[in-house]
Coordinates of all heavy atoms in Angstrom, one line a residue:
M1 N 0.8 -1.2 0.0 CA 0.0 0.0 0.0 C 0.9 1.3 0.0 O 0.6 2.2 -0.7 CB -0.9 0.0 1.2 CG -1.8 1.1 1.3 SD -3.1 1.1 0.0 CE -4.0 2.4 0.5
I2 N 1.9 1.3 0.8 CA 2.8 2.5 0.9 C 3.5 2.7 -0.4 O 3.6 3.9 -0.9 CB 3.8 2.3 2.1 CG1 3.0 2.4 3.4 CG2 4.8 3.4 2.0 CD1 3.8 2.2 4.6
P3 N 4.0 1.7 -1.1 CA 4.7 2.0 -2.4 C 3.7 2.5 -3.4 O 4.1 3.4 -4.2 CB 5.2 0.6 -2.9 CG 5.4 -0.2 -1.6 CD 4.3 0.3 -0.7
L4 N 2.5 2.0 -3.4 CA 1.5 2.6 -4.3 C 1.2 4.0 -4.0 O 1.1 4.9 -4.9 CB 0.2 1.7 -4.3 CG -0.9 2.0 -5.3 CD1 -0.4 1.9 -6.7 CD2 -2.1 1.2 -5.1
L5 N 1.1 4.3 -2.8 CA 0.8 5.7 -2.4 C 2.0 6.6 -2.8 O 1.8 7.7 -3.3 CB 0.6 5.8 -0.8 CG 0.3 7.2 -0.3 CD1 -1.0 7.7 -0.8 CD2 0.3 7.1 1.2
G6 N 3.2 6.1 -2.6 CA 4.4 6.9 -3.0 C 4.4 7.1 -4.6 O 4.8 8.1 -5.0
L7 N 4.0 6.1 -5.3 CA 4.0 6.2 -6.8 C 2.9 7.3 -7.2 O 3.2 8.1 -8.0 CB 3.6 4.9 -7.4 CG 3.4 4.8 -8.9 CD1 4.7 5.2 -9.6 CD2 2.9 3.5 -9.3
I8 N 1.8 7.3 -6.6 CA 0.8 8.2 -6.8 C 1.2 9.7 -6.5 O 1.0 10.6 -7.3 CB -0.6 7.9 -6.1 CG1 -1.1 6.6 -6.7 CG2 -1.6 9.0 -6.2 CD1 -2.3 6.0 -5.9
I9 N 1.8 9.8 -5.3 CA 2.3 11.2 -5.0 C 3.4 11.6 -5.9 O 3.4 12.8 -6.3 CB 2.8 11.1 -3.5 CG1 1.6 11.0 -2.5 CG2 3.6 12.4 -3.2 CD1 2.1 10.7 -1.1
G10 N 4.3 10.7 -6.3 CA 5.4 11.1 -7.2 C 4.8 11.5 -8.6 O 5.3 12.5 -9.2
I11 N 3.8 10.8 -9.1 CA 3.2 11.2 -10.3 C 2.5 12.5 -10.2 O 2.7 13.4 -11.1 CB 2.2 10.1 -10.8 CG1 3.0 8.8 -11.2 CG2 1.3 10.6 -12.0 CD1 2.1 7.7 -11.5
L12 N 1.8 12.8 -9.2 CA 1.1 14.1 -9.0 C 2.1 15.2 -8.9 O 1.9 16.3 -9.5 CB 0.2 14.0 -7.7 CG -1.0 13.1 -7.9 CD1 -1.7 13.1 -6.5 CD2 -1.9 13.6 -9.0
V13 N 3.2 15.0 -8.1 CA 4.2 16.0 -8.0 C 4.9 16.3 -9.4 O 5.1 17.4 -9.8 CB 5.3 15.6 -7.0 CG1 6.5 16.5 -7.1 CG2 4.7 15.7 -5.6
G14 N 5.1 15.2 -10.1 CA 5.8 15.4 -11.5 C 4.8 16.1 -12.4 O 5.3 16.8 -13.3
V15 N 3.5 16.0 -12.3 CA 2.6 16.5 -13.2 C 2.3 18.0 -12.9 O 2.3 18.9 -13.8 CB 1.3 15.7 -13.3 CG1 0.2 16.5 -14.0 CG2 1.5 14.4 -14.0
F16 N 2.1 18.3 -11.6 CA 1.7 19.6 -11.2 C 2.8 20.5 -10.8 O 2.6 21.7 -10.6 CB 0.7 19.5 -10.0 CG -0.6 18.9 -10.5 CD1 -1.0 17.6 -10.0 CD2 -1.4 19.5 -11.4 CE1 -2.2 17.0 -10.4 CE2 -2.6 18.9 -11.8 CZ -3.0 17.7 -11.3
I17 N 4.0 20.0 -10.6 CA 5.2 20.9 -10.3 C 6.3 20.5 -11.3 O 7.2 19.8 -11.0 CB 5.7 20.7 -8.8 CG1 4.5 20.9 -7.8 CG2 6.8 21.6 -8.5 CD1 4.9 20.5 -6.4
P18 N 6.1 20.9 -12.5 CA 7.1 20.6 -13.5 C 8.5 21.2 -13.3 O 8.6 22.4 -12.8 CB 6.5 21.1 -14.9 CG 5.5 22.1 -14.4 CD 5.1 21.8 -13.0
Y19 N 9.5 20.5 -13.5 CA 10.9 20.9 -13.4 C 11.6 20.5 -14.6 O 11.7 19.3 -14.9 CB 11.5 20.4 -12.1 CG 12.9 20.8 -11.9 CD1 13.2 22.0 -11.5 CD2 14.0 19.9 -12.2 CE1 14.5 22.4 -11.3 CE2 15.3 20.3 -12.1 CZ 15.6 21.6 -11.6 OH 16.8 22.0 -11.4
N20 N 12.3 21.5 -15.3 CA 13.0 21.2 -16.5 C 14.5 21.0 -16.1 O 15.1 21.9 -15.5 CB 12.8 22.2 -17.5 CG 11.4 22.3 -18.0 OD1 10.8 21.2 -18.2 ND2 10.9 23.4 -18.3
I21 N 15.1 19.9 -16.4 CA 16.5 19.7 -16.2 C 17.3 20.3 -17.3 O 16.9 20.1 -18.5 CB 16.8 18.2 -16.1 CG1 16.1 17.6 -15.0 CG2 18.3 17.9 -16.0 CD1 16.0 16.1 -14.9
P22 N 18.3 21.1 -17.0 CA 19.1 21.8 -18.1 C 19.6 20.7 -19.0 O 20.0 19.6 -18.6 CB 20.1 22.5 -17.3 CG 19.6 22.7 -16.0 CD 18.7 21.5 -15.7
Y23 N 19.7 21.1 -20.3 CA 20.2 20.2 -21.3 C 21.5 19.6 -21.0 O 21.7 18.4 -21.3 CB 20.2 20.8 -22.7 CG 20.7 20.0 -23.8 CD1 19.9 19.0 -24.3 CD2 21.9 20.2 -24.3 CE1 20.4 18.1 -25.3 CE2 22.5 19.4 -25.3 CZ 21.7 18.4 -25.8 OH 22.1 17.5 -26.8
Q24 N 22.5 20.4 -20.5 CA 23.8 19.9 -20.3 C 23.9 18.8 -19.2 O 24.9 18.1 -19.2 CB 24.8 21.0 -20.0 CG 24.5 21.8 -18.8 CD 23.6 23.0 -19.0 OE1 22.9 23.1 -20.0 NE2 23.8 24.0 -18.1
Y25 N 22.9 18.7 -18.4 CA 22.8 17.7 -17.3 C 22.0 16.5 -17.7 O 21.9 15.5 -16.9 CB 22.4 18.3 -16.0 CG 23.3 19.4 -15.5 CD1 22.7 20.6 -15.2 CD2 24.6 19.3 -15.3 CE1 23.5 21.7 -14.8 CE2 25.4 20.3 -14.9 CZ 24.8 21.5 -14.6 OH 25.6 22.5 -14.2
S26 N 21.3 16.5 -18.7 CA 20.3 15.4 -19.1 C 20.9 14.1 -19.2 O 20.3 13.1 -18.8 CB 19.5 15.8 -20.3 OG 20.4 15.9 -21.4
N27 N 22.1 14.0 -19.7 CA 22.8 12.6 -19.8 C 23.1 12.1 -18.4 O 22.9 10.9 -18.2 CB 24.1 12.7 -20.6 CG 23.8 13.0 -22.1 OD1 22.7 12.7 -22.6 ND2 24.8 13.5 -22.8
Y28 N 23.5 12.9 -17.5 CA 23.9 12.5 -16.2 C 22.7 12.0 -15.4 O 22.7 11.0 -14.7 CB 24.7 13.5 -15.4 CG 25.8 14.2 -16.2 CD1 25.9 15.5 -16.3 CD2 26.7 13.4 -16.9 CE1 26.9 16.1 -17.0 CE2 27.7 13.9 -17.6 CZ 27.8 15.3 -17.7 OH 28.8 15.9 -18.4
V29 N 21.6 12.8 -15.6 CA 20.4 12.5 -14.9 C 19.8 11.2 -15.4 O 19.3 10.3 -14.6 CB 19.4 13.6 -14.9 CG1 18.0 13.2 -14.4 CG2 19.9 14.8 -14.3
A30 N 19.9 11.0 -16.7 CA 19.3 9.7 -17.3 C 20.1 8.5 -16.8 O 19.4 7.5 -16.4 CB 19.4 9.8 -18.8
V31 N 21.4 8.6 -16.7 CA 22.2 7.5 -16.2 C 21.9 7.3 -14.7 O 21.8 6.1 -14.3 CB 23.7 7.7 -16.4 CG1 24.5 6.7 -15.8 CG2 24.0 7.7 -17.9
A32 N 21.7 8.3 -14.0 CA 21.4 8.2 -12.5 C 20.1 7.5 -12.3 O 19.9 6.7 -11.4 CB 21.4 9.6 -11.9
I33 N 19.1 7.9 -13.2 CA 17.8 7.3 -13.0 C 17.8 5.8 -13.3 O 17.2 5.0 -12.7 CB 16.8 8.0 -14.0 CG1 16.5 9.4 -13.4 CG2 15.5 7.2 -14.1 CD1 15.6 10.3 -14.3
L34 N 18.6 5.4 -14.4 CA 18.8 4.0 -14.6 C 19.4 3.3 -13.5 O 19.0 2.1 -13.2 CB 19.6 3.8 -15.9 CG 18.9 4.2 -17.2 CD1 19.8 4.1 -18.4 CD2 17.7 3.3 -17.4
A35 N 20.4 3.8 -12.9 CA 21.1 3.2 -11.7 C 20.1 3.1 -10.5 O 20.1 2.1 -9.8 CB 22.3 4.0 -11.3
A36 N 19.3 4.1 -10.3 CA 18.3 4.1 -9.3 C 17.2 3.0 -9.5 O 16.8 2.2 -8.7 CB 17.6 5.4 -9.1
L37 N 16.8 2.8 -10.8 CA 15.9 1.7 -11.2 C 16.5 0.4 -10.9 O 15.8 -0.6 -10.5 CB 15.4 1.9 -12.6 CG 14.4 3.0 -12.8 CD1 14.1 3.1 -14.3 CD2 13.1 2.7 -12.1
D38 N 17.8 0.2 -11.1 CA 18.5 -1.0 -10.9 C 18.4 -1.3 -9.4 O 18.1 -2.5 -9.0 CB 19.9 -0.9 -11.3 CG 20.7 -2.2 -11.0 OD1 20.2 -3.3 -11.4 OD2 21.7 -2.1 -10.3
S39 N 18.5 -0.3 -8.6 CA 18.4 -0.5 -7.1 C 17.0 -0.9 -6.7 O 16.7 -1.8 -5.9 CB 18.8 0.7 -6.3 OG 20.2 1.0 -6.6
V40 N 16.0 -0.3 -7.4 CA 14.6 -0.6 -7.1 C 14.3 -2.1 -7.5 O 13.7 -2.8 -6.7 CB 13.6 0.3 -7.9 CG1 12.2 -0.2 -7.8 CG2 13.7 1.7 -7.3
F41 N 14.8 -2.5 -8.7 CA 14.5 -3.9 -9.0 C 15.3 -4.9 -8.1 O 14.8 -6.0 -7.8 CB 14.9 -4.1 -10.5 CG 13.8 -3.5 -11.4 CD1 14.3 -2.6 -12.4 CD2 12.5 -3.7 -11.3 CE1 13.4 -2.0 -13.2 CE2 11.6 -3.1 -12.1 CZ 12.0 -2.2 -13.1
G42 N 16.5 -4.5 -7.7 CA 17.2 -5.3 -6.7 C 16.5 -5.4 -5.4 O 16.4 -6.4 -4.7
G43 N 15.8 -4.3 -5.0 CA 15.0 -4.3 -3.7 C 13.8 -5.2 -3.8 O 13.4 -5.9 -2.9
I44 N 13.2 -5.2 -5.0 CA 12.0 -6.1 -5.3 C 12.5 -7.5 -5.2 O 11.8 -8.4 -4.6 CB 11.4 -5.8 -6.6 CG1 10.7 -4.4 -6.6 CG2 10.4 -6.8 -7.0 CD1 10.2 -3.9 -7.9
A45 N 13.6 -7.8 -5.8 CA 14.1 -9.2 -5.8 C 14.5 -9.7 -4.4 O 14.2 -10.8 -4.0 CB 15.4 -9.3 -6.7
A46 N 15.1 -8.7 -3.6 CA 15.4 -9.0 -2.2 C 14.2 -9.3 -1.4 O 14.1 -10.1 -0.5 CB 16.2 -7.9 -1.6
T47 N 13.1 -8.6 -1.7 CA 11.8 -8.7 -1.0 C 11.3 -10.1 -1.3 O 10.8 -10.8 -0.3 CB 10.8 -7.6 -1.3 OG1 11.4 -6.4 -1.0 CG2 9.5 -7.8 -0.6
V48 N 11.3 -10.5 -2.5 CA 10.8 -11.8 -2.9 C 11.5 -12.9 -2.2 O 11.0 -13.9 -1.8 CB 10.8 -12.0 -4.4 CG1 10.5 -13.4 -4.9 CG2 9.8 -11.0 -5.1
R49 N 12.9 -12.7 -2.1 CA 13.7 -13.8 -1.4 C 13.6 -13.7 0.1 O 14.2 -14.5 0.8 CB 15.2 -13.6 -1.8 CG 15.4 -14.2 -3.2 CD 16.9 -14.1 -3.6 NE 17.1 -12.9 -4.3 CZ 18.0 -12.0 -4.1 NH1 18.9 -12.2 -3.2 NH2 18.1 -10.9 -4.8
G50 N 13.0 -12.6 0.6 CA 12.9 -12.4 2.1 C 14.1 -11.9 2.7 O 14.3 -12.0 3.9
K51 N 15.0 -11.2 2.0 CA 16.2 -10.6 2.5 C 16.3 -9.1 2.3 O 17.4 -8.6 2.3 CB 17.4 -11.3 1.8 CG 17.5 -12.8 2.0 CD 18.7 -13.4 1.3 CE 18.8 -14.9 1.6 NZ 20.0 -15.4 1.0
F52 N 15.2 -8.4 2.3 CA 15.3 -7.0 2.1 C 15.7 -6.3 3.4 O 15.2 -6.6 4.5 CB 13.8 -6.5 1.7 CG 13.8 -5.0 1.5 CD1 14.3 -4.5 0.3 CD2 13.3 -4.2 2.4 CE1 14.2 -3.1 0.0 CE2 13.2 -2.8 2.2 CZ 13.7 -2.3 1.0
D53 N 16.6 -5.3 3.2 CA 17.1 -4.5 4.3 C 17.0 -3.0 3.9 O 17.6 -2.7 2.9 CB 18.5 -4.9 4.8 CG 19.0 -4.1 6.0 OD1 18.2 -3.4 6.6 OD2 20.2 -4.2 6.3
M54 N 16.2 -2.2 4.6 CA 16.0 -0.8 4.2 C 17.3 0.0 4.1 O 17.5 0.8 3.3 CB 14.9 -0.2 5.1 CG 14.6 1.3 4.7 SD 13.9 1.3 3.1 CE 12.2 0.9 3.4
K55 N 18.1 -0.2 5.1 CA 19.4 0.6 5.2 C 20.3 0.3 3.9 O 20.8 1.2 3.3 CB 20.2 0.2 6.4 CG 19.6 0.7 7.7 CD 20.4 0.3 8.9 CE 19.7 0.7 10.2 NZ 20.4 0.2 11.3
I56 N 20.3 -1.0 3.5 CA 21.1 -1.4 2.4 C 20.4 -0.8 1.1 O 21.1 -0.3 0.2 CB 21.3 -2.9 2.3 CG1 22.2 -3.4 3.4 CG2 21.8 -3.3 0.9 CD1 22.2 -4.9 3.5
F57 N 19.2 -0.9 1.1 CA 18.4 -0.3 -0.1 C 18.6 1.2 -0.3 O 18.9 1.6 -1.4 CB 16.9 -0.7 0.0 CG 16.1 0.0 -1.1 CD1 16.2 -0.5 -2.4 CD2 15.3 1.1 -0.8 CE1 15.4 0.1 -3.4 CE2 14.6 1.7 -1.8 CZ 14.6 1.1 -3.1
I58 N 18.5 1.9 0.8 CA 18.6 3.4 0.7 C 20.0 3.8 0.3 O 20.3 4.6 -0.6 CB 18.2 4.1 2.0 CG1 16.7 3.9 2.3 CG2 18.5 5.5 2.0 CD1 15.8 4.5 1.3
S59 N 21.0 3.1 1.0 CA 22.4 3.5 0.6 C 22.8 3.0 -0.8 O 23.5 3.8 -1.5 CB 23.3 2.8 1.6 OG 23.3 1.4 1.5
G60 N 22.3 1.9 -1.2 CA 22.5 1.5 -2.6 C 21.8 2.3 -3.6 O 22.3 2.7 -4.7
F61 N 20.6 2.8 -3.3 CA 19.8 3.6 -4.2 C 20.5 4.9 -4.5 O 20.8 5.2 -5.6 CB 18.4 3.9 -3.6 CG 17.5 4.7 -4.5 CD1 16.7 4.1 -5.4 CD2 17.4 6.1 -4.3 CE1 15.8 4.8 -6.2 CE2 16.5 6.8 -5.1 CZ 15.7 6.1 -6.0
F62 N 20.9 5.6 -3.5 CA 21.6 6.9 -3.7 C 23.0 6.7 -4.1 O 23.5 7.5 -4.9 CB 21.5 7.8 -2.4 CG 20.1 8.3 -2.2 CD1 19.3 7.8 -1.1 CD2 19.5 9.2 -3.0 CE1 18.0 8.2 -1.0 CE2 18.2 9.7 -2.8 CZ 17.4 9.1 -1.8
G63 N 23.7 5.7 -3.5 CA 25.1 5.5 -3.9 C 25.2 5.1 -5.4 O 26.1 5.6 -6.1
N64 N 24.3 4.2 -5.8 CA 24.4 3.8 -7.2 C 24.1 5.0 -8.2 O 24.8 5.2 -9.2 CB 23.4 2.7 -7.6 CG 23.9 1.4 -7.0 OD1 25.0 1.2 -6.6 ND2 23.0 0.4 -7.0
A65 N 23.1 5.8 -7.8 CA 22.8 6.9 -8.7 C 23.9 7.9 -8.7 O 24.3 8.4 -9.8 CB 21.5 7.6 -8.1
L66 N 24.5 8.2 -7.6 CA 25.7 9.2 -7.5 C 26.9 8.7 -8.3 O 27.5 9.4 -9.1 CB 26.0 9.6 -6.1 CG 25.0 10.4 -5.4 CD1 25.4 10.6 -3.9 CD2 24.8 11.8 -6.0
V67 N 27.2 7.4 -8.1 CA 28.4 6.8 -8.8 C 28.1 6.8 -10.2 O 29.0 7.1 -11.0 CB 28.7 5.4 -8.2 CG1 29.7 4.7 -9.1 CG2 29.2 5.5 -6.8
A68 N 26.9 6.5 -10.6 CA 26.6 6.4 -12.1 C 26.7 7.8 -12.8 O 27.3 7.9 -13.8 CB 25.3 5.8 -12.4
A69 N 26.2 8.8 -12.1 CA 26.2 10.1 -12.6 C 27.7 10.6 -12.6 O 28.2 11.2 -13.6 CB 25.4 11.1 -11.8
G70 N 28.5 10.3 -11.6 CA 29.9 10.6 -11.6 C 30.7 10.0 -12.7 O 31.5 10.6 -13.4
L71 N 30.4 8.7 -13.0 CA 31.1 8.0 -14.0 C 30.7 8.5 -15.4 O 31.5 8.6 -16.3 CB 30.8 6.5 -14.0 CG 31.5 5.7 -12.8 CD1 31.0 4.3 -12.8 CD2 33.0 5.8 -13.0
A72 N 29.5 8.9 -15.6 CA 29.0 9.5 -16.8 C 29.7 10.9 -17.0 O 30.1 11.2 -18.2 CB 27.5 9.7 -16.8
Y73 N 29.9 11.6 -16.0 CA 30.6 12.9 -16.1 C 32.0 12.7 -16.4 O 32.6 13.4 -17.3 CB 30.5 13.7 -14.7 CG 31.3 14.9 -14.7 CD1 30.8 16.1 -15.4 CD2 32.5 15.0 -14.1 CE1 31.6 17.2 -15.4 CE2 33.3 16.1 -14.0 CZ 32.8 17.2 -14.7 OH 33.6 18.4 -14.7
I74 N 32.7 11.7 -15.8 CA 34.1 11.5 -16.1 C 34.2 11.0 -17.5 O 35.1 11.4 -18.2 CB 34.7 10.4 -15.1 CG1 34.8 11.1 -13.7 CG2 36.0 9.9 -15.6 CD1 35.1 10.1 -12.6
G75 N 33.3 10.2 -17.9 CA 33.4 9.7 -19.4 C 33.2 10.8 -20.3 O 33.8 10.8 -21.4
D76 N 32.3 11.7 -20.0 CA 32.1 12.9 -20.8 C 33.4 13.8 -20.9 O 33.7 14.3 -22.0 CB 31.0 13.8 -20.2 CG 30.0 14.2 -21.3 OD1 30.0 13.7 -22.4 OD2 29.1 15.0 -20.9
Q77 N 34.1 13.9 -19.8 CA 35.3 14.7 -19.8 C 36.4 14.1 -20.5 O 37.3 14.8 -21.1 CB 35.7 15.0 -18.3 CG 34.7 15.8 -17.5 CD 34.4 17.1 -18.2 OE1 35.2 17.9 -18.5 NE2 33.1 17.3 -18.4
L78 N 36.4 12.8 -20.5 CA 37.5 12.0 -21.3 C 37.3 12.2 -22.8 O 38.1 12.2 -23.6 CB 37.5 10.6 -20.9 CG 38.0 10.3 -19.5 CD1 37.9 8.8 -19.2 CD2 39.5 10.7 -19.3

């Protein structure tokens, strides 16, 4: 129930409070979103296996997103 509520709130915020990401950052944000989605699917898999830990999920979610955006930036600079 809580994830569904979070999804609904996220959609409403996205629709009614539009935010445009500057073009020069769009590649980094796209890669960060993909990394965050990887963490979400990993959390779903851990829940199915009965090994979900919220601390690991939160740290992995933000950690993966930041590392992915950083690697995309470094790749862009190279």
Side-chain angles (χ1 to χ4, degrees):
M1 181 68 175
I2 292 175
L4 185 60
L5 182 64
L7 178 65
I8 292 169
I9 290 171
I11 289 172
L12 290 175
V13 167
V15 168
F16 293 113
I17 306 175
Y19 178 76
N20 294 324
I21 297 169
Y23 176 75
Q24 62 266 26
Y25 300 126
S26 62
N27 288 339
Y28 312 130
V29 172
V31 172
I33 290 171
L34 288 175
L37 282 173
D38 178 55
S39 295
V40 168
F41 290 125
I44 292 170
T47 300
V48 169
R49 284 184 265 133
K51 296 183 179 184
F52 181 79
D53 184 5
M54 184 60 81
K55 291 178 187 176
I56 293 173
F57 174 72
I58 295 295
S59 65
F61 183 84
F62 291 108
N64 285 347
L66 290 173
V67 168
L71 288 174
Y73 174 76
I74 291 170
D76 227 10
Q77 297 303 309
L78 292 176

